[in-house]
Amino acid sequence: MENVIGLADCNSFYASCERALRPDLAGKPLVVLSNNDTMVVAASPEAKALGIGLGEPLFRVQRIIKTHGGAFFSSNYTLYADLSQRVMEVLKRYVMRMEVYSIDEAFLCLSEFSDLDLPSYASSMREAVREEVGIPLSVGIGGTKTLAKAAVKAAKKSSGGVFDIRGQEEAVLAKLPVEDIWGIGRQYGRLLRRQGVDTALGFMRLPERWVLKHMTVDGFRTQQELKGFPCLSLQEARPPRKELVVSRGFGRVTERAEEIEEALCEYASLAARRLRREELVAREISAFIMTSPFRPGPQYVGIKSARFPERSASTVAFIRAMRSLLSGMYRPGYPYRKAGVILSDLGDCSVIQGNLFVSPAERREQQLLRAVDHLNDKYGTEVVRFGAVGLTQPWRMRREALSPHATTRWEELPQVNAS
DNA sequence: TCTGGGGTCCTAGGACCC
DNA sequence: TCTGGGGTCCTAGGACCC
């Protein structure tokens, strides 16, 4: 059977989510900001047309948005995750096998349908997502994942939002800039340009030996995929998570150890909660603190790790670890900008290996934490917290333009007024 | 240009072993 | 010409993705 892959990709996903709840902003430029409201991470087509690019700092776009009657939003990941799920549910109805690749993308196995008119099949899928969730979608179709990725770029430019690259691969790849290939980033892009390779077609035609030598097997696989030989299979089941990171920049820099400790304890609590939600436990915990590499002046990065005698998902244990890790790496006199917690060596909580040195008290603690999780889930926000995370949290990130959690919290349901 | 937060995989090189 | 060779495990760093 012919191998056919579809890639369904939501257009300007975060911006489209905000717009789905604010129909009054139809046709207006709209941007979503990164944490701390620092820079643009998503922009609607209208915003892009005004020259607003991703990565642009807020202050530079604020005026443009205002004068055009648009809006900007702090990122609201709860909302995006919820709408993402709804999009995926719709897509699932159209295929037997798919891979949820990211919050706004899914690879679809279309091989079984290759005798259908695939572009029109994709169009009806696209319509359904727009109708039922209110999110615009593009679909690329090709013989491999990498070709489907190239196809979706063309789909975004076409009016119908669907593009089938099959039968015209070389013509399309001849126009695709080499760094726009999925799997070729900035570094390899530069390397290839230095070699005189400017397009995807040029890359495809490079000697395989050269690609293997300079770009590892990853680059080689990308090249094979462009030639139409599938190397990347559809990952229907999510492989088990290996690591969990919670890190954020502070709302302002700080030199104070007490503030950094609060932040680390807060991140550790968040990490613990996510870990429990995914029914995982961690053997190792690390913390890091750093100054801003983008500011002049002395720099410092500290990172320390600790291992637990038994894998754990305990907020109490994690907070305790933060205190000792921080005292082992904190250096006074530096303007710290960011900190984070990394949980690694993860395992499934059901196969936790018993250890003689863990007390029954610690096991009882797990029950307490489950109760806390339950309360926090039920009341929608962190109603029960540990004292270590602080009360005023002066280091907390800025999110001044947050949209309501309209689809996940009853109190924040949008109101509709009939007139 | 100015640079957020959360991930994964691959490779080289060192330590260690027989 | 040099030379011990082969294996495993771990870590750091680099590359990529959204």
Side-chain angles (χ1 to χ4, degrees):
Chain A
M1 190 165 34
E2 192 196 354
N3 196 62
V4 191
I5 300 285
L7 176 62
D9 188 335
C10 301
N11 301 348
S12 324
F13 183 59
Y14 296 172
S16 299
C17 288
E18 298 292 350
R19 174 119 77 204
L21 299 176
R22 291 287 305 275
D24 58 302
L25 291 173
K28 299 278 166 57
L30 201 155
V31 303
V32 176
L33 304 169
S34 65
N35 281 341
N36 279 320
D37 296 343
T38 336
M39 63 181 209
V40 176
V41 294
S44 73
E46 300 82 2
K48 283 177 185 153
L50 292 172
I52 295 173
L54 306 189
E56 206 126 3
L58 171 62
F59 67 84
R60 210 183 297 160
V61 306
Q62 220 157 1
R63 261 247 309 278
I64 311 176
I65 294 282
K66 280 257 162 70
T67 54
H68 289 82
F72 49 88
F73 295 89
S74 304
S75 27
N76 183 346
Y77 292 103
T78 320
L79 173 70
Y80 311 149
D82 184 60
L83 291 188
S84 167
Q85 249 192 348
R86 293 170 195 236
V87 170
M88 300 305 169
E89 295 295 329
V90 175
L91 296 177
K92 256 179 222 154
R93 298 206 307 259
Y94 285 81
V95 291
M96 286 180 275
R97 305 200 299 126
M98 69 181 246
E99 171 186 344
V100 177
Y101 175 69
S102 73
I103 194 161
D104 68 336
E105 278 172 79
F107 286 106
L108 315 167
C109 177
L110 298 176
S111 308
E112 300 90 323
F113 310 103
S114 53
D115 50 339
L116 296 185
D117 175 1
L118 285 180
S120 70
Y121 191 58
S123 291
S124 54
M125 172 170 13
R126 189 171 168 268
E127 259 327 289
V129 170
R130 181 186 271 294
E131 289 242 323
E132 296 176 40
V133 197
I135 299 286
L137 189 77
S138 301
V139 184
I141 300 168
T144 64
K145 282 182 163 180
T146 308
L147 286 169
K149 272 279 190 181
V152 92
K153 292 210 187 252
K156 298 220 174 193
K157 286 180 196 147
S158 81
S159 56
V162 175
F163 188 82
D164 187 349
I165 197 175
R166 290 175 305 159
Q168 39 180 331
E169 285 88 349
E170 298 214 344
V172 176
L173 296 183
K175 285 191 210 135
L176 187 68
V178 71
E179 50 282 296
D180 288 0
I181 305 169
W182 186 48
I184 306 293
R186 270 246 296 278
Q187 295 306 315
Y188 286 152
R190 265 190 227 148
L191 172 71
L192 289 164
R193 292 270 181 183
R194 280 200 303 274
Q195 294 297 308
V197 173
D198 298 313
T199 68
L201 187 65
F203 171 66
M204 197 180 104
R205 289 180 171 163
L206 275 176
E208 295 179 349
R209 269 171 300 108
W210 189 92
V211 174
L212 254 176
K213 183 170 171 208
H214 294 94
M215 302 172 65
T216 83
V217 297
D218 290 325
F220 179 70
R221 276 198 276 256
T222 297
Q223 192 191 27
Q224 293 298 304
E225 285 244 323
L226 284 179
K227 293 180 181 174
F229 306 122
C231 297
L232 307 169
S233 60
L234 207 68
Q235 308 272 298
E236 291 179 76
R238 264 240 330 247
R241 181 201 272 285
K242 302 202 158 148
E243 201 173 71
L244 193 158
V245 180
V246 175
S247 75
R248 287 170 190 16
F250 303 136
R252 56 163 171 71
V253 297
T254 179
E255 292 186 12
R256 301 188 50 215
E258 312 85 78
E259 288 187 14
I260 297 170
E261 185 176 305
E262 277 182 19
L264 281 175
C265 289
E266 163 98 345
Y267 304 161
S269 313
L270 272 170
R273 203 171 156 211
R274 278 189 206 165
L275 204 61
R276 292 195 292 270
R277 194 175 291 153
E278 297 186 28
E279 304 188 316
L280 295 170
V281 276
R283 167 92 65 199
E284 186 169 83
I285 189 165
S286 317
F288 67 85
I289 56 176
M290 60 191 291
T291 51
S292 169
F294 309 114
R295 278 157 191 254
Q299 303 287 324
Y300 175 71
V301 178
I303 177 157
K304 287 271 178 197
S305 312
R307 286 178 80 79
F308 299 113
E310 176 180 279
R311 285 208 176 96
S312 167
S314 159
T315 308
V316 178
F318 290 3
I319 284 179
R320 204 175 294 136
M322 286 307 108
R323 298 190 160 150
S324 72
L325 292 179
L326 179 62
S327 65
M329 66 184 171
Y330 174 76
R331 302 278 176 278
Y334 287 96
Y336 293 98
R337 176 82 231 196
K338 182 176 175 173
V341 174
I342 304 167
L343 301 174
S344 47
D345 200 344
L346 307 184
D348 195 304
C349 72
S350 62
V351 294
I352 194 163
Q353 197 80 55
N355 185 302
L356 289 174
F357 302 102
V358 176
S359 68
E362 273 182 59
R363 296 230 160 72
R364 275 200 297 281
E365 181 190 294
Q366 293 177 5
Q367 291 170 16
L368 168 69
L369 290 169
R370 264 200 292 274
V372 169
D373 288 346
H374 183 69
L375 285 171
N376 285 332
D377 285 342
K378 187 165 176 188
Y379 296 102
T381 171
E382 304 284 295
V383 290
V384 184
R385 294 193 301 194
F386 285 80
V389 305
L391 282 176
T392 54
Q393 302 191 324
W395 42 269
R396 200 170 186 85
M397 68 179 183
R398 291 185 296 270
R399 287 172 97 187
E400 283 163 12
L402 192 61
S403 57
H405 294 79
T407 62
T408 52
R409 287 190 197 162
W410 289 111
E411 327 75 88
E412 298 182 18
L413 267 184
Q415 294 184 11
V416 178
N417 300 308
S419 54

